Coordinates of all heavy atoms in Angstrom, one line a residue:
D29 N -6.9 -14.7 -2.6 CA -6.8 -14.2 -4.0 C -7.2 -15.3 -4.9 O -6.5 -15.9 -5.6 CB -5.2 -13.8 -4.3 CG -5.1 -13.1 -5.6 OD1 -6.0 -12.8 -6.3 OD2 -3.9 -13.0 -5.9
S40 N 3.7 -7.1 -10.7 CA 3.9 -6.1 -11.8 C 4.4 -4.8 -11.2 O 5.3 -4.2 -11.8 CB 2.7 -6.0 -12.7 OG 2.8 -5.0 -13.6
I65 N 6.7 -11.4 3.9 CA 5.6 -11.7 5.1 C 5.8 -10.5 6.1 O 4.8 -10.1 6.6 CB 6.0 -12.9 5.8 CG1 5.5 -14.1 4.9 CG2 5.2 -13.0 7.1 CD1 5.9 -15.5 5.3
S73 N 19.1 1.1 -1.7 CA 20.3 1.7 -1.2 C 20.1 3.1 -0.5 O 20.7 3.2 0.6 CB 21.3 2.0 -2.2 OG 20.8 2.9 -3.4
Q93 N -7.6 3.1 -9.6 CA -7.6 4.6 -9.4 C -6.5 5.2 -8.6 O -5.8 4.4 -8.0 CB -9.1 5.1 -9.0 CG -9.5 4.4 -7.6 CD -8.7 4.9 -6.5 OE1 -8.6 6.1 -6.3 NE2 -8.3 4.1 -5.5
E100 N -4.0 -0.4 5.4 CA -4.4 -1.6 6.2 C -3.9 -1.4 7.6 O -2.7 -1.5 7.7 CB -3.8 -2.8 5.6 CG -4.2 -4.1 6.2 CD -3.6 -5.4 5.7 OE1 -2.2 -5.5 5.9 OE2 -4.2 -6.2 5.1
N104 N -5.8 -9.5 7.8 CA -6.8 -10.6 7.8 C -6.7 -11.5 9.0 O -7.7 -12.1 9.5 CB -6.7 -11.5 6.5 CG -7.1 -10.9 5.3 OD1 -7.9 -10.0 5.2 ND2 -6.4 -11.2 4.2
D148 N -19.2 -0.9 7.1 CA -19.3 -2.2 6.5 C -19.4 -2.2 4.9 O -19.7 -3.1 4.2 CB -20.4 -3.0 7.0 CG -21.9 -2.3 6.8 OD1 -21.9 -1.2 6.1 OD2 -22.8 -2.9 7.3
K164 N -11.4 -10.0 9.9 CA -10.8 -9.3 11.1 C -10.0 -8.0 10.6 O -9.8 -7.2 11.3 CB -9.7 -10.2 11.8 CG -10.4 -11.4 12.4 CD -9.4 -12.2 13.1 CE -10.0 -13.4 13.7 NZ -8.9 -14.4 14.3
K177 N 0.4 16.2 0.4 CA 0.6 17.5 1.0 C 1.2 17.4 2.4 O 1.8 18.3 2.9 CB -0.9 18.1 1.2 CG -1.0 19.5 1.9 CD -2.4 19.9 2.2 CE -2.5 21.2 2.9 NZ -3.8 21.6 3.3

Side-chain angles (χ1 to χ4, degrees):
D29 184 4
S40 173
I65 290 172
S73 62
Q93 50 77 45
E100 182 185 69
N104 289 329
D148 59 5
K164 296 178 182 177
K177 179 181 175 191

